[in-house]
């Protein structure tokens, strides 16, 4: 067996790439260029040798700060360009390469220029806003002053004061009389005019009323124009107000309230001639300021446009430099302080490429000393790296969402590529719905180049990322739909005529057995005559339930077989003898035997009750099976299988912990006395792992862990097999939902001669099919297939406690930033 396994050809993605731990000794003068070339290659994962140091204690902290400052300036430019509604150039003009120092100077000059232009623009905008507000106040306040003695204003103020206190009514009447008589100056009546945000008017008026105890008259009118906020560049609605009051104390209170609410007040003369003169002056200055503002905006937009041409290239350059210095900060100086020492992981196949890149860096930097690259031994486990393409990557991501594979252990995604979409299709089987999914997948794949460059929403991005999963799910759904013979729940005679005919006029009205076989079986899938017959539901339920058990037992057996390949690959004979063998015996003694009974019953056409057989296999294994016997020798076979299942449980539980304890004792026997006579050099030669095992081995902990693992497998064998019945349940639910929508919506609406009812029924059927069957049911079947792979399949062999290989790469850096 082992020789046969050894001779098997290697399978792509079955094992992660072989990794090696390397050390780099790089001269200081070529360190920056070497790290840059390694970032372009993207095949070396650096290890942080300064993890105990804070970011401010590292060697290249100043260069990293400079890059961070330049990134801040570039973000500032980007925000300014977006606020100005200018589009950044997707294809920047060709520019000669510039050094980081030159770029830093350019960015500083651009920032100073922009800040100065923004400050001048804000000052001009503030002046413009003040003049515009003054103009609006003049236009509206004049109307209040002219009509201050009218009955409408006095009556409104009087009505408002009636709801306050009785003492305020006399004051309001007195104010009205004074306004009517026009003797405002002799009575001491004054007013303040200004402008405030519309959202604050109600609270502002209430505060004025309370502060003056009702001894004021508040008039307001909406401004005809919106005013731009110089900070947020948003248009704000304003309201002009005029407050009439009496007394110096009231004036002080009103001014403080205006200041608190951010209201701007402007003096309005009572003389109409002065009002007109001021209005003309304000309008003239507004025109001048508007022209100045337009010229300033044009100049600023021109400066931003010149920046936007190079912005994408500058951002990319600064990101790369920042990443290079972050990596350099992970390196250590050697004793001479002339070389940097770095460590990291790389795939074995990439060693030659990395050495070529380092040689090129040495040559380009004119260094007199070459870069030393050599392999080292490492105590820690290597990272996991699978070379995937755009098709297999999404299946690998599904597996990695459960847990990243341990280094070199069997990768479930090799089988997930087929089993995941197939189990989905078993639950979703309908070749009409499968065609709809196929069309969607084809559209996503055909527009792949365009969609990959666009900014997609979170849901659309997930659908686009799983386009190849969707493609396989749709193809398998069409295949399973042809087996179920369902096209939007309607059966078709695609592969010939039915093998059955009805005893009565209608199979649905039959009182006895509805269908009678009169010719050879239907060549592919379910016979269409089962649809609508009295036996349809019992037949399909029996078929799908038994098929679910067969598929579940087959997939669980595959998982256990993969645990054998893991044990053989890692040379763990204990796992093979005391884990793989008893697990295979236990699972197949019970549920493998059940699968055998199902297949035998299908082949022989027996009427045996499999529930009775399996239950009494445990309760009365020696009793005669009677009419439930499917083949000769079934009863002794059941007794043997039951005994094997019972023996397999202690086989899994006891031998492995005791053997591990014996091996540990033999390995370290007399070691505690032998160490006293050894030198320090001998202690160094002993591997760390041996000393750790000697210190950390705990028999009780190992035994409890093995006991938990054994109990989990025994219980899981039952629960996982039952869990696969979800394939039957969801397939039945999908089929019944399709039938309800077809018969109770489409056919019911089509029974009317009214075209409107037919169109309405067709619309409801299309909506239900799209949103319930194609979206909700697809998501439901997807999640259940995910559960079957993560829990029922992968737990049989997959540890998933590794960590991903994350090389230093400029490509992934740009993708993460985007």
């Amino acid at each position: 067996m082992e020789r046969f396994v050894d001779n098997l050809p290697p399978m792509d993605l079955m094992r992660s790439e072989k990794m090696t731990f390397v050390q780099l000794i790089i001269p200081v003068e070529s360190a920056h260029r070497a790290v840059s070339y390694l970032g372009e290659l993207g095949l070396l994962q650096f290890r942080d040798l300064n993890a105990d140091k804070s970011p401010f204690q590292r060697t290249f902290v100043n260069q990293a700060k400079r890059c961070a400052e330049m990134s801040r300036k570039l973000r500032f430019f980007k925000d300014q360009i977006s606020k100005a509604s200018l589009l950044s150039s997707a294809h920047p003009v060709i520019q000669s390469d510039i050094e980081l120092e030159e770029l830093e100077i350019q960015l500083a000059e651009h920032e100073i220029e922009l800040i100065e232009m923004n400050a001048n623009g804000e000052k001009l905008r503030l002046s413009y806003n003040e003049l515009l507000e003054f103009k609006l106040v003049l236009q509206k306040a004049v109307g209040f002053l002219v009509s201050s003695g009218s009955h409408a204003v006095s009556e409104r103020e009087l009505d408002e004061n009636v709801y306050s206190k009785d003492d305020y009514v006399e004051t309001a009447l007195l104010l009205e009389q004074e306004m009517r008589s026009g003797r405002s100056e002799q009575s001491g009546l004054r007013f303040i005019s200004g402008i405030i945000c519309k959202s604050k008017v109600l609270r502002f008026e209430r505060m004025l009323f309370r502060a003056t105890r009702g001894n004021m008259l508040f008039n307001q009118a909406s401004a005809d124009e919106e005013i731009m906020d110089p900070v947020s560049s948003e248009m704000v609605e304003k309201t002009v107000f005029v407050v009439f009051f009496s007394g110096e104390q009231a004036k002080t209170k009103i001014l403080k309230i205006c200041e608190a609410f951010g209201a701007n007040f402007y003096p309005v003369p009572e003389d109409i001639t002065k009002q007109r003169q001021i209005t003309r002056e304000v309008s003239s200055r507004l025109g001048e300021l508007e022209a100045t503002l337009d010229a300033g905006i044009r100049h600023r937009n021109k400066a931003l446009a010149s920046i936007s041409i190079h912005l994408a290239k500058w951002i990319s350059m600064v990101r790369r430099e920042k990443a290079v210095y972050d990596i350099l900060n992970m390196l250590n100086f050697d004793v001479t302080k002339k070389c940097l020492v770095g460590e990291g992981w790389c795939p074995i196949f990439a060693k030659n490429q990395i050495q070529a890149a380092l040689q090129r860096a040495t040559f380009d930097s004119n260094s007199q000393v070459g870069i030393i690259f050599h392999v080292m031994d490492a105590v820690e486990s290597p990272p996991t790296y699978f070379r995937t393409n755009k098709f297999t990557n999404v299946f690998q991501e599904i597996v990695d969402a459960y847990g990243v594979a341990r280094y070199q252990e069997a990768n479930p995604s090799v089988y997930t590529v087929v089993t995941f979409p197939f189990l989905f299709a078993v639950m979703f089987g309908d070749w009409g719905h499968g065609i709809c999914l196929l069309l969607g997948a084809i559209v996503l794949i055909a527009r792949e180049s365009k969609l990959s460059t666009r900014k997609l929403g979170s849901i659309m991005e997930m659908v686009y990322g799983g386009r190849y999963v969707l493609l396989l799910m749709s193809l398998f759904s069409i295949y399973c739909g042809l087996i179920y013979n369902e096209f939007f729940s309607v059966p078709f005679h695609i592969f010939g005529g039915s093998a059955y005919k009805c005893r009565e006029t209608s199979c649905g009205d039959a009182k006895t057995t509805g269908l009678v076989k009169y010719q050879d079986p239907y060549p592919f899938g379910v016979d269409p005559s089962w649809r609508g017959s009295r036996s349809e539901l019992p037949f399909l339920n029996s078929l799908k339930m038994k098929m679910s058990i067969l598929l579940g037992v087959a997939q669980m057996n595959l998982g256990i077989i993969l645990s054998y390949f893991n044990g053989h690959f890692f040379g763990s004979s204990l796992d093979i003898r005391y884990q793989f063998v008893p697990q295979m015996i236990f699972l197949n003694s019970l549920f493998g035997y059940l699968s055998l009974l199902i297949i035998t019953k299908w082949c022989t056409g027996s009427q045996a009750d499999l529930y009775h057989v399996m239950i009494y296999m445990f309760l009365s294994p020696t009793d005669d099976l009677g009419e439930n016997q499917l083949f000769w020798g079934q009863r002794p076979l059941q007794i043997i299988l039951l005994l094997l299942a019972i023996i397999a449980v202690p086989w899994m539980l006891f031998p492995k912990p005791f053997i591990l304890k014996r091996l540990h004792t033999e390995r370290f026997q007399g070691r505690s006395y032998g160490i006293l006579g050894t030198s320090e050099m001998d202690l160094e030669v002993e591997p760390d792992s041996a000393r750790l095992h000697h210190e950390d081995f705990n028999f009780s902990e190992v035994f409890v862990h093995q006991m938990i693992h054994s109990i989990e497998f025994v219980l899981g064998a039952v629960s996982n097999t039952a869990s696969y019945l979800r394939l039957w349940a969801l397939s039945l639910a999908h089929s019944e939902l399709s039938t309800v929508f077809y018969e109770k919506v489409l056919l019911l609406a089509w029974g009317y001669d009214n075209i409107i009812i037919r169109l309405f029924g067709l619309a409801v059927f299309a909506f239900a099919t799209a949103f319930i069957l194609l979206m909700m049911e697809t998501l439901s079947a997807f999640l259940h297939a995910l559960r079957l792979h993560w829990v029922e399949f992968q737990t049989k062999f997959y540890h998933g406690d590794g960590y991903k290989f994350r090389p230093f790469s400029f490509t992934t850096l740009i993708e993460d930033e985007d």
Side-chain angles (χ1 to χ4, degrees):
M1 181 67 180
E2 291 185 0
R3 185 177 300 174
F4 171 75
V5 173
D6 291 335
N7 292 332
L8 288 175
M11 185 187 300
D12 288 342
L13 287 180
M14 186 63 184
R15 305 284 174 190
S16 61
E17 294 291 337
K18 293 183 178 180
M19 308 295 289
T20 182
F21 191 70
V22 298
Q23 186 182 57
L24 308 176
I25 301 177
I26 313 171
V28 174
E29 61 270 14
S30 57
H32 184 279
R33 197 178 295 271
V35 173
S36 298
Y37 288 173
L38 291 175
E40 292 173 359
L41 186 61
L43 288 172
L44 180 63
Q45 175 179 322
F46 284 92
R47 182 182 178 186
D48 191 0
L49 302 179
N50 299 312
D52 56 336
K53 294 182 180 179
S54 68
F56 301 102
Q57 294 175 329
R58 305 204 178 200
T59 308
F60 298 93
V61 62
N62 293 328
Q63 289 85 342
K65 284 181 180 179
R66 287 169 56 195
C67 292
E69 180 64 17
M70 285 189 281
S71 297
R72 182 197 62 78
K73 292 174 183 177
L74 290 169
R75 287 195 301 271
F76 170 68
F77 297 153
K78 193 173 183 179
D79 292 340
Q80 294 296 311
I81 289 171
S82 61
K83 284 182 181 179
S85 301
L86 298 175
L87 296 176
S88 298
S89 177
H91 304 285
V93 298
I94 298 175
Q95 182 190 21
S96 58
D97 293 336
I98 60 174
E99 296 294 332
L100 192 65
E101 290 75 12
E102 298 178 14
L103 178 61
E104 187 176 15
I105 295 171
Q106 287 188 23
L107 295 181
E109 292 174 353
H110 287 306
E111 185 187 30
I112 293 171
E113 184 183 6
L114 266 180
I115 290 175
E116 187 177 352
M117 285 190 287
N118 289 342
N120 293 335
E122 286 182 10
K123 289 179 183 178
L124 289 173
R125 176 58 63 180
L126 285 173
S127 302
Y128 180 82
N129 287 350
E130 289 178 358
L131 290 174
L132 183 58
E133 289 177 353
F134 194 12
K135 178 183 175 182
L136 294 173
V137 170
L138 286 171
Q139 291 174 351
K140 298 295 181 180
V142 168
F144 295 142
L145 294 176
V146 171
S147 61
S148 60
S150 64
H151 291 282
V153 174
S154 301
E155 287 173 3
R156 182 175 67 82
E157 182 64 16
L158 180 60
D159 291 340
E160 290 177 357
N161 283 291
V162 166
Y163 289 104
S164 55
K165 290 185 180 179
D166 296 338
D167 297 337
Y168 298 152
V169 177
E170 297 179 2
T171 308
L173 289 173
L174 180 62
L175 179 60
E176 179 184 358
Q177 293 174 2
E178 292 294 338
M179 290 170 62
R180 286 179 179 176
S181 64
R183 294 174 296 174
S184 59
E185 291 184 1
Q186 287 131 2
S187 64
L189 189 65
R190 304 178 184 181
F191 69 90
I192 291 177
S193 56
I195 194 167
I196 192 174
C197 292
K198 192 174 184 179
S199 59
K200 300 179 181 179
V201 170
L202 190 60
R203 290 180 287 132
F204 180 63
E205 183 179 3
R206 189 181 296 118
M207 183 62 72
L208 288 175
F209 184 84
R210 290 174 180 172
T212 59
R213 299 189 178 183
N215 291 307
M216 64 92 191
L217 179 64
F218 185 82
N219 291 314
Q220 59 173 314
S222 296
D224 296 333
E225 300 180 31
E226 292 183 343
I227 298 174
M228 180 185 289
D229 187 352
V231 178
S232 63
S233 300
E234 295 179 356
M235 302 304 291
V236 182
E237 293 184 3
K238 299 261 185 168
T239 298
V240 177
F241 66 88
V242 176
V243 184
F244 294 94
F245 62 92
S246 179
E248 192 67 30
Q249 190 175 4
K251 178 181 178 182
T252 305
K253 290 180 179 179
I254 291 170
L255 290 177
K256 287 183 178 179
I257 293 171
C258 289
E259 185 178 354
F261 277 84
N264 299 324
F265 42 89
Y266 299 93
V268 178
E270 297 184 17
D271 188 2
I272 297 177
T273 306
K274 290 183 179 179
Q275 290 175 3
R276 291 175 179 172
Q277 181 181 357
I278 293 174
T279 303
R280 284 195 298 271
E281 291 178 0
V282 169
S283 299
S284 175
R285 290 188 60 191
L286 273 175
E288 295 174 359
L289 275 178
E290 191 169 357
T292 307
L293 272 174
D294 290 341
I297 291 173
R298 285 195 300 271
H299 179 62
R300 181 172 171 273
N301 288 345
K302 185 178 179 181
L304 289 174
S306 65
I307 293 174
S308 67
I309 295 173
H310 309 290
L311 186 64
K313 183 176 180 180
W314 290 347
I315 291 176
S316 176
M317 179 180 175
V318 172
R319 282 178 183 169
R320 287 175 173 236
E321 291 293 325
K322 176 70 164 55
V324 167
Y325 284 116
D326 287 341
I327 294 296
L328 289 174
N329 279 328
M330 297 168 69
L331 310 184
N332 261 341
F333 275 106
D334 67 343
V335 181
T336 63
K337 300 293 182 181
K338 294 181 180 180
C339 292
L340 286 169
V341 179
E343 296 177 356
W345 293 98
C346 73
I348 289 180
F349 72 85
K351 282 168 52 178
N352 293 333
Q353 301 178 49
I354 293 174
Q355 288 176 340
L358 295 177
Q359 289 175 3
R360 187 159 53 94
T362 303
F363 179 78
D364 292 345
S365 58
N366 297 322
S367 175
Q368 300 297 323
V369 182
I371 300 174
I372 300 175
F373 174 86
H374 63 93
V375 178
M376 293 177 61
D377 293 329
V379 177
E380 64 187 38
S381 177
T384 302
Y385 174 51
F386 294 103
R387 280 192 283 182
T388 58
N389 52 36
K390 61 183 179 181
F391 180 82
T392 57
N393 180 65
V394 61
F395 294 98
Q396 189 63 53
E397 291 295 329
I398 289 174
V399 173
D400 289 347
Y402 174 82
V404 179
R406 181 182 291 183
Y407 178 64
Q408 291 266 287
E409 81 170 320
N411 185 15
S413 65
V414 176
Y415 306 93
T416 303
V417 172
V418 175
T419 58
F420 185 86
F422 177 71
L423 291 185
F424 168 88
V426 171
M427 296 179 276
F428 193 76
D430 187 304
W431 63 280
H433 297 152
I435 289 174
C436 295
L437 290 182
L438 179 62
L439 294 175
I442 289 174
V443 169
L444 290 174
I445 294 172
R447 298 174 60 86
E448 184 176 307
S449 57
K450 294 182 180 179
L451 293 175
S452 60
T453 58
R454 288 186 184 176
K455 186 83 172 175
L456 304 175
S458 57
I459 296 178
M460 189 61 193
E461 189 173 356
M462 284 191 296
V463 174
Y464 170 74
R467 59 195 179 281
Y468 291 105
V469 178
L470 192 63
L471 175 67
L472 290 186
M473 290 194 306
S474 61
L475 292 175
F476 279 108
S477 296
I478 294 173
Y479 169 72
C480 289
L482 290 173
I483 292 179
Y484 297 156
N485 204 345
E486 291 185 10
F487 179 83
F488 296 99
S489 79
V490 180
F492 284 90
H493 294 76
I494 302 174
F495 301 100
S498 172
Y500 299 91
K501 62 180 179 180
C502 300
R503 287 178 181 271
E504 283 82 5
T505 308
S506 172
C507 294
D509 299 332
K511 303 300 181 185
T512 60
T513 304
L515 298 174
V516 178
K517 186 174 181 180
Y518 74 99
Q519 65 177 20
D520 292 335
Y522 192 70
F524 185 82
V526 176
D527 195 303
S529 294
W530 287 106
R531 175 67 67 184
S533 69
R534 192 177 60 175
S535 308
E536 175 193 4
L537 207 55
F539 169 73
L540 291 178
N541 279 345
S542 176
L543 170 69
K544 293 180 179 179
M545 180 173 61
K546 292 180 174 64
M547 183 181 65
S548 300
I549 292 174
L550 292 177
L551 291 174
V553 172
Q555 190 174 30
M556 287 191 291
N557 270 296
L558 174 62
I560 298 174
I561 291 171
L562 287 175
S563 71
Y564 167 79
F565 283 98
N566 273 339
H568 176 75
F569 182 83
F570 292 112
S572 176
S573 59
L574 283 179
D575 289 338
I576 295 174
R577 294 173 186 172
Y578 305 107
Q579 189 166 307
F580 163 73
V581 174
Q583 285 180 359
M584 285 293 290
I585 291 174
F586 183 85
L587 181 66
N588 290 292
S589 295
L590 302 180
F591 300 105
Y593 174 63
L594 175 61
S595 302
L596 176 64
L597 293 180
I598 291 172
I599 296 173
T600 305
K601 183 177 179 180
W602 279 351
C603 294
T604 60
S606 173
Q607 298 296 319
D609 185 1
L610 299 186
Y611 294 108
H612 184 278
V613 173
M614 292 303 296
I615 290 172
Y616 282 91
M617 178 180 174
F618 293 93
L619 298 181
S620 303
T622 59
D623 288 356
D624 187 21
L625 295 173
E627 60 181 9
N628 290 322
Q629 183 167 338
L630 288 167
F631 52 87
W632 179 84
Q634 183 176 352
R635 188 178 63 178
L637 177 62
Q638 287 187 173
I639 295 173
I640 294 172
L641 292 176
L642 185 61
L643 291 175
L644 286 174
I646 294 173
I647 293 171
V649 176
W651 191 350
M652 276 187 286
L653 176 58
F654 294 109
K656 188 176 177 180
F658 286 99
I659 292 174
L660 285 174
K661 181 181 180 182
R662 181 174 61 82
L663 292 175
H664 175 78
T665 305
E666 291 177 356
R667 185 177 181 183
F668 294 98
Q669 189 173 11
R671 183 67 61 90
S672 57
Y673 296 100
I675 288 178
L676 296 175
T678 58
S679 63
E680 294 182 1
M681 184 62 68
D682 295 329
L683 287 174
E684 292 296 328
V685 170
E686 181 183 15
D688 293 340
S689 57
R691 289 199 298 272
L692 289 175
H693 281 296
H694 182 63
E695 295 171 1
D696 297 339
F697 186 82
N698 188 335
F699 174 74
S700 60
E701 183 179 344
V702 173
F703 185 81
V704 170
H705 175 78
Q706 187 66 23
M707 182 175 63
I708 292 173
H709 184 76
S710 302
I711 295 173
E712 183 182 6
F713 178 81
V714 171
L715 298 179
V718 180
S719 64
N720 293 349
T721 305
S723 181
Y724 276 95
L725 293 176
R726 71 184 69 232
L727 299 172
W728 157 51
L730 265 77
S731 175
L732 176 66
H734 186 85
S735 176
E736 291 302 311
L737 271 176
S738 302
T739 304
V740 167
F741 291 141
Y742 176 72
E743 293 180 354
K744 302 301 182 184
V745 177
L746 190 61
L747 290 186
L748 188 64
W750 224 252
Y752 294 90
D753 291 332
N754 193 329
I755 187 65
I756 297 177
I757 296 178
R758 289 186 173 185
L759 290 176
F760 179 75
L762 184 63
V764 173
F765 175 75
F767 178 84
T769 300
F771 288 93
I772 297 178
L773 295 177
L774 292 180
M775 292 181 65
M776 294 178 61
E777 282 288 307
T778 300
L779 181 60
S780 175
F782 182 91
L783 293 176
H784 282 284
L786 200 63
R787 145 78 198 224
L788 290 176
H789 280 79
W790 282 357
V791 178
E792 277 70 30
F793 174 53
Q794 292 181 190
T795 52
K796 301 293 184 294
F797 67 98
Y798 188 63
H799 292 92
D801 55 358
Y803 63 101
K804 270 189 176 182
F805 174 61
R806 301 189 182 278
F808 171 57
S809 173
F810 291 145
T811 305
T812 56
L813 174 72
I814 295 171
E815 289 176 356
D816 293 341
E817 290 289 341
D818 293 340

